[in-house]
Amino acid sequence: MGILEKIKEIEAEMARTQKNKATNYHLGRLKGKLALLRSQLITESKSSGKAGEGFDVAKSGDARVAMIGFPSVGKSTLLSTLTKTKSQAAAYAFTTLTCIPGVIDYNNSKIQLLDLPGIIEGASKGKGKGKQVIAVARTSDLILMVVEAHKAELQMRLLTKEIENVGIRINQRPPDITYVRKKTGGIKFNSTVELTHCDEKLCKDILHLHKVHNAEILFRGDYTVDQFIDVIEGNRKYMRCLYCINKVDTITVGELDRLARLNDTVVISAHWKLNLNYLLEKMWMYLDVVRLYTKPRGKRPDFSDPVVMARGTTILDICNYIHKDFVKRFKTANVWGTSAKHVPQSVGLKHELQDEDVVQLMTKPGK
């Protein structure tokens, strides 16, 4: 029996099993086995893939956004509307057969937008070009999931499942679970809170399935079995995802209002160019970046060319971004902006910068 058949068998058994306190342990073990098989499937596909497969797209700009969705949901039309790139759009499925990049100019920044081929149900198991599409999405800073308004919730649910099957966790935070493998000493299990979703016995059994017999485990929250398995696997990627509900001109006003109130969603019509400004605003918010302006000594900062970096960036990060020698020669930095207590404030390498801060780096004389 192959890996896909084993996965189908376990999924069928989980579907047959009623969810209650009496079956939690059995379902937890099944989830552990399923996670192992999916990891083997991903590893197998990587080792057996032919050279040249996939979409080789150079990362450019200040951030990357990947559009994924089923065929004919309007991704190509959206790319052509938001960027200067013209992607072929037609009224039939699979118009786009490769990855087409475009660039959005927004807030003095350049955002690379990728129009990826439509994926089909079962993409995570190798159907169509689903794995290549999801692999590109994994390298992006934000996933823009484009769905059709008249079947939005169904498509959102199916696409989310496909993405999660290959180890991407969208709109979630990594669980605060400490997992350290040891050479001896057995399994030591502790928690700082009462656990209601899993217990010590189930966690130990899942570790044994992964052939781990010596480890230290500490739960700092009431997490589920799936989240514990994610920590053990260690290869999960946590990403932001914005659900873009397109073709809202085909549904009623009442249905539009209901969909607009769902979490992490934006309702638009790419064809009629409706609500696109709000889409760009939400994309910028979900990218969660800051714009920083450098100021040479004795000159004014150039506000037309910011350095765009992730929120939480420190003076150390911007020194490394400009040149590695800046850290060795660093003396102090002057900061103007919301992160400064007074203007200007002289700060060190650990100072955290905020959006639109102006930074002047002071260095020691070179040898």
Side-chain angles (χ1 to χ4, degrees):
M1 186 184 290
I3 295 177
L4 284 173
E5 286 75 18
K6 290 179 181 178
I7 288 175
K8 287 179 181 177
E9 190 177 277
I10 292 176
E11 286 177 340
E13 186 176 349
M14 289 175 66
R16 290 194 303 268
T17 306
Q18 291 185 349
K19 294 182 180 179
N20 53 55
K21 289 184 179 180
T23 60
N24 275 347
Y25 178 76
H26 177 61
L27 286 170
R29 283 184 59 85
L30 289 176
K31 288 177 180 178
K33 292 178 181 179
L34 193 61
L36 272 176
L37 290 171
R38 282 175 176 159
S39 294
Q40 291 173 20
L41 187 64
I42 294 170
T43 306
E44 186 181 84
S45 66
K46 285 180 180 178
S47 60
S48 62
K50 297 178 183 178
E53 284 189 346
F55 307 113
D56 187 14
V57 182
K59 195 168 185 177
S60 65
D62 301 307
R64 170 183 273 193
V65 177
M67 286 193 293
I68 68 168
F70 290 112
S72 298
V73 294
K75 299 187 299 296
S76 298
T77 303
L78 186 59
L79 179 79
S80 300
T81 305
L82 294 179
T83 72
K84 297 177 182 178
T85 304
K86 298 301 177 185
S87 180
Q88 184 181 358
Y92 53 84
F94 299 106
T95 310
T96 304
L97 299 176
T98 187
C99 178
I100 301 174
V103 176
I104 301 172
D105 291 311
Y106 188 75
N107 280 347
N108 290 330
S109 306
K110 295 188 181 297
I111 303 171
Q112 186 183 43
L113 183 64
L114 302 181
D115 178 16
L116 294 167
I119 63 176
I120 58 176
E121 193 173 353
S124 60
K125 297 175 183 176
K127 290 185 180 180
K129 291 187 176 181
K131 284 189 175 179
Q132 292 95 316
V133 170
I134 296 173
V136 174
R138 198 181 180 99
T139 66
S140 64
D141 302 298
L142 172 67
I143 294 175
L144 186 65
M145 192 179 292
V146 185
V147 298
E148 289 181 296
H150 62 280
K151 42 187 173 183
E153 288 168 296
L154 173 63
Q155 290 187 352
M156 286 160 60
R157 186 168 64 252
L158 292 174
L159 287 169
T160 300
K161 181 182 177 183
E162 295 297 333
I163 289 173
E164 290 190 342
N165 283 346
V166 294
I168 298 176
R169 299 291 177 262
I170 57 177
N171 299 332
Q172 298 179 31
R173 289 185 177 182
D176 191 3
I177 301 174
T178 300
Y179 166 62
V180 182
R181 294 191 68 166
K182 300 285 186 180
K183 292 183 179 179
T184 58
I187 295 174
K188 297 179 181 178
F189 183 92
N190 288 291
S191 64
T192 59
V193 297
E194 183 182 355
L195 302 181
T196 60
H197 301 292
C198 59
D199 56 18
E200 182 176 350
K201 183 176 184 296
L202 178 56
C203 290
K204 286 183 176 179
D205 279 354
I206 292 171
L207 286 170
H208 290 155
L209 284 172
H210 286 75
K211 298 181 180 179
V212 177
H213 304 286
N214 301 286
E216 289 184 3
I217 307 296
L218 175 61
F219 277 67
R220 294 188 182 87
D222 187 17
Y223 298 110
T224 63
V225 175
D226 300 278
Q227 290 172 305
F228 177 59
I229 292 169
D230 288 346
V231 173
I232 297 171
E233 292 286 332
N235 59 356
R236 305 304 192 233
K237 181 158 186 182
Y238 295 83
M239 300 183 65
R240 297 302 305 272
C241 175
L242 183 61
Y243 298 98
C244 179
I245 302 176
N246 193 20
K247 303 182 182 180
V248 295
D249 51 300
T250 63
I251 59 174
T252 64
V253 175
E255 182 67 6
L256 169 62
D257 182 67
R258 188 184 68 83
L259 292 174
R261 295 176 187 276
L262 297 177
N263 292 331
D264 307 309
T265 60
V266 176
V267 292
I268 69 158
S269 173
H271 178 72
W272 294 105
K273 300 182 181 180
L274 299 176
N275 212 29
L276 297 184
N277 287 336
Y278 183 61
L279 171 62
L280 291 174
E281 185 182 325
K282 290 281 281 189
M283 284 170 57
W284 180 261
M285 185 178 74
Y286 273 58
L287 284 169
D288 201 24
V289 293
V290 293
R291 292 160 293 171
L292 306 172
Y293 304 96
T294 55
K295 182 185 181 303
R297 186 179 297 184
K299 296 182 181 180
R300 294 176 62 84
D302 183 2
F303 290 107
S304 65
D305 187 22
V307 177
V308 181
M309 303 185 74
R311 190 170 296 279
T313 291
T314 62
I315 295 292
L316 175 62
D317 296 323
I318 198 168
C319 284
N320 285 322
Y321 175 84
I322 295 171
H323 198 280
K324 61 182 180 180
D325 287 343
F326 266 73
V327 178
K328 298 176 184 177
R329 298 172 51 204
F330 179 80
K331 182 179 179 182
T332 186
N334 293 327
V335 176
W336 293 259
T338 54
S339 72
K341 295 180 180 178
H342 49 82
V343 178
Q345 181 183 358
S346 181
V347 299
L349 290 171
K350 294 183 179 180
H351 180 80
E352 187 174 315
L353 298 163
Q354 298 293 331
D355 190 32
E356 296 192 291
D357 276 359
V358 175
V359 181
Q360 183 183 55
L361 299 175
M362 312 294 286
T363 58
K364 300 171 186 175
K367 293 182 180 179

